[in-house]
Structures are given as C-alpha cells and as structure tokens.
Amino acid sequence: MTLRMPHRAYRARIAYRHDTKGTRGHEDLHVTIQPGGERTVRAACEMYDIELLRDVTYTVDAAWRPLDSYVRLVSHGRFSGAAWFRFDDSGAECEGWTIADGRFHQRCDLGRRPT
C-alpha cells in the first residue's frame, strides 16, 4: 500500500550560462504546494567559477507573500554563513551568523507584510 500526502510537488533545474564561458553553474529546485496554496521552494545552487554552494528553503503563502526562509553559504569549500528570515504583518527579521561578522539579529519594521 502506498500512502500519499495531499500536496503537489515538482522539480526543476536552472542552468547558469555565460556567453563566452559556457555553463557557470546550476540550481536544482524542489517545490511543494500545499492544498491551501502555501509553497515551499528548496534550492541547491552550485556556481562553479566562484566555487559557491548556496542552500535555500523559502516559503510563501497562498497569496505569494513571504513567510520564512533559510539560507546557507559555502565558499571555496568552507562555511561562510547562514541566516533565518521571518516575515510578518509588520515587517521582517533575520537571525544569522557569518565568518566575517559573527552572530547578528536585524529587524526591519515596514508597517505591513513584505511582498
């Protein structure tokens, strides 16, 4: 017996190309869409020429308004930084840590939900 969850999903690949250098990298995406319309994108990006790996998880509501996100960067084989973002009806906030700056917290009050 196969159990199925009620979401839909699809996968895609984006190729990053340069006119004279050819393929510079690629990004693999996996998107899930919940029955109520909430979407989560999971993306793994590799940029060959600058040796960058970027992992992202990003969720939007049914109206495509951002809810939360997580980003992690590895540059030249070494951890560079990571951050978590949360969006609400008054603005956005970020909790992060980078090699260059250490731990940080930022809040941006906009008086509305970011779009």
Side-chain angles (χ1 to χ4, degrees):
M1 176 169 87
T2 302
L3 297 176
R4 302 220 19 112
M5 295 178 65
H7 69 274
R8 294 179 291 134
Y10 63 90
R11 295 179 187 272
R13 174 170 274 197
I14 298 169
Y16 294 105
R17 301 183 189 276
H18 187 275
D19 288 343
T20 60
K21 297 178 183 177
T23 301
R24 299 183 54 230
H26 72 273
E27 189 160 347
D28 291 319
L29 305 167
H30 180 233
V31 181
T32 54
I33 305 166
Q34 299 302 326
E38 186 177 280
R39 292 162 171 80
T40 299
V41 177
R42 294 161 193 87
C45 175
E46 296 182 35
M47 299 302 294
Y48 315 137
D49 56 346
I50 58 172
E51 294 185 44
L52 179 72
L53 294 174
R54 180 183 68 220
D55 292 290
V56 176
T57 301
Y58 179 61
T59 302
V60 296
D61 67 13
W64 293 89
R65 296 175 303 186
L67 296 174
D68 57 59
S69 181
Y70 175 77
V71 179
R72 187 176 199 278
L73 296 175
V74 173
S75 180
H76 299 279
R78 296 193 145 160
F79 172 79
S80 179
W84 169 74
F85 302 85
R86 187 180 76 85
F87 306 92
D88 59 32
D89 289 336
S90 62
E93 66 181 316
C94 172
E95 221 29 83
W97 193 87
T98 67
I99 295 293
D101 299 316
R103 186 174 178 167
F104 62 90
H105 173 85
Q106 295 176 322
R107 171 86 192 159
C108 181
D109 289 312
L110 303 171
R112 61 176 174 75
R113 179 176 286 277
T115 56

PDB file of all heavy atoms in Angstrom, residues 86-109:
ATOM      1  N   ARG A  86      12.243  35.654   8.917  1.00  0.00           N
ATOM      2  CA  ARG A  86      10.824  35.502   9.230  1.00  0.00           C
ATOM      3  C   ARG A  86      10.114  36.787   8.835  1.00  0.00           C
ATOM      4  O   ARG A  86      10.608  37.885   9.075  1.00  0.00           O
ATOM      5  CB  ARG A  86      10.615  35.251  10.722  1.00  0.00           C
ATOM      6  CG  ARG A  86       9.175  34.926  11.081  1.00  0.00           C
ATOM      7  CD  ARG A  86       9.033  34.688  12.577  1.00  0.00           C
ATOM      8  NE  ARG A  86       9.057  35.938  13.326  1.00  0.00           N
ATOM      9  CZ  ARG A  86       7.991  36.704  13.543  1.00  0.00           C
ATOM     10  NH1 ARG A  86       6.814  36.371  13.082  1.00  0.00           N
ATOM     11  NH2 ARG A  86       8.100  37.817  14.245  1.00  0.00           N
ATOM     12  N   PHE A  87       8.971  36.619   8.200  1.00  0.00           N
ATOM     13  CA  PHE A  87       8.198  37.761   7.725  1.00  0.00           C
ATOM     14  C   PHE A  87       6.841  37.756   8.401  1.00  0.00           C
ATOM     15  O   PHE A  87       6.225  36.707   8.569  1.00  0.00           O
ATOM     16  CB  PHE A  87       8.023  37.673   6.205  1.00  0.00           C
ATOM     17  CG  PHE A  87       9.335  37.520   5.482  1.00  0.00           C
ATOM     18  CD1 PHE A  87       9.843  36.264   5.190  1.00  0.00           C
ATOM     19  CD2 PHE A  87      10.070  38.634   5.125  1.00  0.00           C
ATOM     20  CE1 PHE A  87      11.059  36.121   4.537  1.00  0.00           C
ATOM     21  CE2 PHE A  87      11.292  38.505   4.474  1.00  0.00           C
ATOM     22  CZ  PHE A  87      11.783  37.242   4.179  1.00  0.00           C
ATOM     23  N   ASP A  88       6.364  38.946   8.822  1.00  0.00           N
ATOM     24  CA  ASP A  88       5.052  39.038   9.463  1.00  0.00           C
ATOM     25  C   ASP A  88       4.323  40.274   8.950  1.00  0.00           C
ATOM     26  O   ASP A  88       4.797  40.938   8.028  1.00  0.00           O
ATOM     27  CB  ASP A  88       5.173  39.032  10.997  1.00  0.00           C
ATOM     28  CG  ASP A  88       6.021  40.161  11.540  1.00  0.00           C
ATOM     29  OD1 ASP A  88       6.039  41.261  10.940  1.00  0.00           O
ATOM     30  OD2 ASP A  88       6.661  39.969  12.587  1.00  0.00           O
ATOM     31  N   ASP A  89       3.183  40.587   9.541  1.00  0.00           N
ATOM     32  CA  ASP A  89       2.354  41.681   9.041  1.00  0.00           C
ATOM     33  C   ASP A  89       2.943  43.068   9.278  1.00  0.00           C
ATOM     34  O   ASP A  89       2.401  44.056   8.791  1.00  0.00           O
ATOM     35  CB  ASP A  89       0.947  41.600   9.643  1.00  0.00           C
ATOM     36  CG  ASP A  89       0.170  40.434   9.067  1.00  0.00           C
ATOM     37  OD1 ASP A  89       0.497  39.990   7.944  1.00  0.00           O
ATOM     38  OD2 ASP A  89      -0.765  39.961   9.735  1.00  0.00           O
ATOM     39  N   SER A  90       4.050  43.162  10.010  1.00  0.00           N
ATOM     40  CA  SER A  90       4.651  44.480  10.231  1.00  0.00           C
ATOM     41  C   SER A  90       6.058  44.611   9.648  1.00  0.00           C
ATOM     42  O   SER A  90       6.626  45.698   9.677  1.00  0.00           O
ATOM     43  CB  SER A  90       4.665  44.813  11.725  1.00  0.00           C
ATOM     44  OG  SER A  90       5.445  43.866  12.419  1.00  0.00           O
ATOM     45  N   GLY A  91       6.626  43.528   9.133  1.00  0.00           N
ATOM     46  CA  GLY A  91       7.961  43.637   8.566  1.00  0.00           C
ATOM     47  C   GLY A  91       8.686  42.313   8.473  1.00  0.00           C
ATOM     48  O   GLY A  91       8.071  41.270   8.266  1.00  0.00           O
ATOM     49  N   ALA A  92      10.010  42.366   8.671  1.00  0.00           N
ATOM     50  CA  ALA A  92      10.851  41.186   8.526  1.00  0.00           C
ATOM     51  C   ALA A  92      11.952  41.200   9.574  1.00  0.00           C
ATOM     52  O   ALA A  92      12.364  42.258  10.046  1.00  0.00           O
ATOM     53  CB  ALA A  92      11.472  41.165   7.136  1.00  0.00           C
ATOM     54  N   GLU A  93      12.413  39.997   9.919  1.00  0.00           N
ATOM     55  CA  GLU A  93      13.554  39.897  10.820  1.00  0.00           C
ATOM     56  C   GLU A  93      14.478  38.789  10.339  1.00  0.00           C
ATOM     57  O   GLU A  93      14.064  37.894   9.604  1.00  0.00           O
ATOM     58  CB  GLU A  93      13.118  39.660  12.260  1.00  0.00           C
ATOM     59  CG  GLU A  93      12.450  38.339  12.522  1.00  0.00           C
ATOM     60  CD  GLU A  93      12.029  38.215  13.981  1.00  0.00           C
ATOM     61  OE1 GLU A  93      12.817  38.562  14.871  1.00  0.00           O
ATOM     62  OE2 GLU A  93      10.903  37.773  14.201  1.00  0.00           O
ATOM     63  N   CYS A  94      15.733  38.901  10.762  1.00  0.00           N
ATOM     64  CA  CYS A  94      16.763  37.964  10.348  1.00  0.00           C
ATOM     65  C   CYS A  94      17.639  37.631  11.543  1.00  0.00           C
ATOM     66  O   CYS A  94      18.017  38.509  12.316  1.00  0.00           O
ATOM     67  CB  CYS A  94      17.609  38.587   9.243  1.00  0.00           C
ATOM     68  SG  CYS A  94      19.054  37.633   8.785  1.00  0.00           S
ATOM     69  N   GLU A  95      17.962  36.365  11.676  1.00  0.00           N
ATOM     70  CA  GLU A  95      18.900  35.864  12.673  1.00  0.00           C
ATOM     71  C   GLU A  95      19.985  35.164  11.874  1.00  0.00           C
ATOM     72  O   GLU A  95      19.679  34.290  11.050  1.00  0.00           O
ATOM     73  CB  GLU A  95      18.167  34.856  13.516  1.00  0.00           C
ATOM     74  CG  GLU A  95      18.300  34.728  14.981  1.00  0.00           C
ATOM     75  CD  GLU A  95      18.641  35.867  15.857  1.00  0.00           C
ATOM     76  OE1 GLU A  95      17.761  36.629  16.232  1.00  0.00           O
ATOM     77  OE2 GLU A  95      19.812  35.949  16.235  1.00  0.00           O
ATOM     78  N   GLY A  96      21.232  35.562  12.037  1.00  0.00           N
ATOM     79  CA  GLY A  96      22.260  34.957  11.213  1.00  0.00           C
ATOM     80  C   GLY A  96      23.610  34.874  11.879  1.00  0.00           C
ATOM     81  O   GLY A  96      23.819  35.388  12.988  1.00  0.00           O
ATOM     82  N   TRP A  97      24.525  34.214  11.177  1.00  0.00           N
ATOM     83  CA  TRP A  97      25.906  34.098  11.622  1.00  0.00           C
ATOM     84  C   TRP A  97      26.783  33.984  10.391  1.00  0.00           C
ATOM     85  O   TRP A  97      26.507  33.180   9.491  1.00  0.00           O
ATOM     86  CB  TRP A  97      26.098  32.867  12.501  1.00  0.00           C
ATOM     87  CG  TRP A  97      27.406  32.889  13.229  1.00  0.00           C
ATOM     88  CD1 TRP A  97      27.657  33.472  14.431  1.00  0.00           C
ATOM     89  CD2 TRP A  97      28.640  32.335  12.780  1.00  0.00           C
ATOM     90  NE1 TRP A  97      28.993  33.313  14.767  1.00  0.00           N
ATOM     91  CE2 TRP A  97      29.615  32.607  13.760  1.00  0.00           C
ATOM     92  CE3 TRP A  97      29.032  31.647  11.651  1.00  0.00           C
ATOM     93  CZ2 TRP A  97      30.935  32.219  13.645  1.00  0.00           C
ATOM     94  CZ3 TRP A  97      30.359  31.258  11.523  1.00  0.00           C
ATOM     95  CH2 TRP A  97      31.289  31.537  12.526  1.00  0.00           C
ATOM     96  N   THR A  98      27.813  34.821  10.325  1.00  0.00           N
ATOM     97  CA  THR A  98      28.772  34.747   9.226  1.00  0.00           C
ATOM     98  C   THR A  98      30.189  34.705   9.784  1.00  0.00           C
ATOM     99  O   THR A  98      30.442  35.162  10.904  1.00  0.00           O
ATOM    100  CB  THR A  98      28.662  35.957   8.272  1.00  0.00           C
ATOM    101  OG1 THR A  98      29.081  37.141   8.957  1.00  0.00           O
ATOM    102  CG2 THR A  98      27.255  36.124   7.738  1.00  0.00           C
ATOM    103  N   ILE A  99      31.090  34.164   8.999  1.00  0.00           N
ATOM    104  CA  ILE A  99      32.503  34.144   9.388  1.00  0.00           C
ATOM    105  C   ILE A  99      33.008  35.570   9.586  1.00  0.00           C
ATOM    106  O   ILE A  99      33.713  35.871  10.538  1.00  0.00           O
ATOM    107  CB  ILE A  99      33.350  33.420   8.309  1.00  0.00           C
ATOM    108  CG1 ILE A  99      32.967  31.940   8.222  1.00  0.00           C
ATOM    109  CG2 ILE A  99      34.838  33.586   8.558  1.00  0.00           C
ATOM    110  CD1 ILE A  99      33.320  31.116   9.434  1.00  0.00           C
ATOM    111  N   ALA A 100      32.617  36.473   8.698  1.00  0.00           N
ATOM    112  CA  ALA A 100      33.116  37.849   8.742  1.00  0.00           C
ATOM    113  C   ALA A 100      32.572  38.648   9.919  1.00  0.00           C
ATOM    114  O   ALA A 100      33.291  39.437  10.530  1.00  0.00           O
ATOM    115  CB  ALA A 100      32.775  38.566   7.433  1.00  0.00           C
ATOM    116  N   ASP A 101      31.271  38.461  10.260  1.00  0.00           N
ATOM    117  CA  ASP A 101      30.636  39.333  11.250  1.00  0.00           C
ATOM    118  C   ASP A 101      30.143  38.641  12.509  1.00  0.00           C
ATOM    119  O   ASP A 101      29.661  39.302  13.422  1.00  0.00           O
ATOM    120  CB  ASP A 101      29.445  40.058  10.607  1.00  0.00           C
ATOM    121  CG  ASP A 101      29.881  40.930   9.445  1.00  0.00           C
ATOM    122  OD1 ASP A 101      30.899  41.636   9.587  1.00  0.00           O
ATOM    123  OD2 ASP A 101      29.218  40.885   8.391  1.00  0.00           O
ATOM    124  N   GLY A 102      30.216  37.330  12.589  1.00  0.00           N
ATOM    125  CA  GLY A 102      29.693  36.615  13.747  1.00  0.00           C
ATOM    126  C   GLY A 102      28.178  36.605  13.746  1.00  0.00           C
ATOM    127  O   GLY A 102      27.536  36.715  12.710  1.00  0.00           O
ATOM    128  N   ARG A 103      27.607  36.524  14.937  1.00  0.00           N
ATOM    129  CA  ARG A 103      26.155  36.449  15.068  1.00  0.00           C
ATOM    130  C   ARG A 103      25.536  37.840  14.981  1.00  0.00           C
ATOM    131  O   ARG A 103      26.083  38.808  15.499  1.00  0.00           O
ATOM    132  CB  ARG A 103      25.770  35.808  16.401  1.00  0.00           C
ATOM    133  CG  ARG A 103      24.284  35.588  16.500  1.00  0.00           C
ATOM    134  CD  ARG A 103      23.904  34.831  17.714  1.00  0.00           C
ATOM    135  NE  ARG A 103      22.454  34.711  17.745  1.00  0.00           N
ATOM    136  CZ  ARG A 103      21.807  33.915  18.533  1.00  0.00           C
ATOM    137  NH1 ARG A 103      22.459  33.163  19.393  1.00  0.00           N
ATOM    138  NH2 ARG A 103      20.504  33.862  18.501  1.00  0.00           N
ATOM    139  N   PHE A 104      24.350  37.894  14.349  1.00  0.00           N
ATOM    140  CA  PHE A 104      23.640  39.161  14.249  1.00  0.00           C
ATOM    141  C   PHE A 104      22.136  38.927  14.224  1.00  0.00           C
ATOM    142  O   PHE A 104      21.660  37.845  13.912  1.00  0.00           O
ATOM    143  CB  PHE A 104      24.075  39.950  13.007  1.00  0.00           C
ATOM    144  CG  PHE A 104      23.777  39.247  11.705  1.00  0.00           C
ATOM    145  CD1 PHE A 104      22.568  39.440  11.057  1.00  0.00           C
ATOM    146  CD2 PHE A 104      24.710  38.394  11.137  1.00  0.00           C
ATOM    147  CE1 PHE A 104      22.293  38.794   9.866  1.00  0.00           C
ATOM    148  CE2 PHE A 104      24.436  37.752   9.937  1.00  0.00           C
ATOM    149  CZ  PHE A 104      23.225  37.947   9.302  1.00  0.00           C
ATOM    150  N   HIS A 105      21.410  39.970  14.588  1.00  0.00           N
ATOM    151  CA  HIS A 105      19.947  39.983  14.509  1.00  0.00           C
ATOM    152  C   HIS A 105      19.553  41.331  13.920  1.00  0.00           C
ATOM    153  O   HIS A 105      20.064  42.364  14.328  1.00  0.00           O
ATOM    154  CB  HIS A 105      19.309  39.817  15.895  1.00  0.00           C
ATOM    155  CG  HIS A 105      17.824  39.995  15.871  1.00  0.00           C
ATOM    156  ND1 HIS A 105      16.974  38.958  15.568  1.00  0.00           N
ATOM    157  CD2 HIS A 105      17.043  41.074  16.072  1.00  0.00           C
ATOM    158  CE1 HIS A 105      15.725  39.411  15.588  1.00  0.00           C
ATOM    159  NE2 HIS A 105      15.747  40.694  15.900  1.00  0.00           N
ATOM    160  N   GLN A 106      18.656  41.287  12.956  1.00  0.00           N
ATOM    161  CA  GLN A 106      18.162  42.522  12.362  1.00  0.00           C
ATOM    162  C   GLN A 106      16.645  42.455  12.272  1.00  0.00           C
ATOM    163  O   GLN A 106      16.081  41.402  12.030  1.00  0.00           O
ATOM    164  CB  GLN A 106      18.725  42.723  10.951  1.00  0.00           C
ATOM    165  CG  GLN A 106      20.209  42.928  10.927  1.00  0.00           C
ATOM    166  CD  GLN A 106      20.738  43.016   9.501  1.00  0.00           C
ATOM    167  OE1 GLN A 106      20.286  42.322   8.614  1.00  0.00           O
ATOM    168  NE2 GLN A 106      21.718  43.892   9.306  1.00  0.00           N
ATOM    169  N   ARG A 107      16.008  43.591  12.473  1.00  0.00           N
ATOM    170  CA  ARG A 107      14.559  43.701  12.334  1.00  0.00           C
ATOM    171  C   ARG A 107      14.273  44.927  11.469  1.00  0.00           C
ATOM    172  O   ARG A 107      14.851  45.990  11.700  1.00  0.00           O
ATOM    173  CB  ARG A 107      13.893  43.856  13.711  1.00  0.00           C
ATOM    174  CG  ARG A 107      12.424  44.189  13.668  1.00  0.00           C
ATOM    175  CD  ARG A 107      11.562  42.965  13.547  1.00  0.00           C
ATOM    176  NE  ARG A 107      10.189  43.387  13.211  1.00  0.00           N
ATOM    177  CZ  ARG A 107       9.309  42.606  12.666  1.00  0.00           C
ATOM    178  NH1 ARG A 107       9.589  41.364  12.405  1.00  0.00           N
ATOM    179  NH2 ARG A 107       8.106  43.047  12.384  1.00  0.00           N
ATOM    180  N   CYS A 108      13.409  44.766  10.491  1.00  0.00           N
ATOM    181  CA  CYS A 108      13.016  45.868   9.617  1.00  0.00           C
ATOM    182  C   CYS A 108      11.501  46.031   9.731  1.00  0.00           C
ATOM    183  O   CYS A 108      10.746  45.180   9.240  1.00  0.00           O
ATOM    184  CB  CYS A 108      13.417  45.577   8.185  1.00  0.00           C
ATOM    185  SG  CYS A 108      13.007  46.887   7.040  1.00  0.00           S
ATOM    186  N   ASP A 109      11.058  47.081  10.433  1.00  0.00           N
ATOM    187  CA  ASP A 109       9.624  47.341  10.578  1.00  0.00           C
ATOM    188  C   ASP A 109       9.138  48.174   9.400  1.00  0.00           C
ATOM    189  O   ASP A 109       9.623  49.267   9.164  1.00  0.00           O
ATOM    190  CB  ASP A 109       9.341  48.054  11.907  1.00  0.00           C
ATOM    191  CG  ASP A 109       9.541  47.125  13.076  1.00  0.00           C
ATOM    192  OD1 ASP A 109       9.021  46.005  13.035  1.00  0.00           O
ATOM    193  OD2 ASP A 109      10.239  47.544  14.037  1.00  0.00           O
TER     194      ASP A 109
END
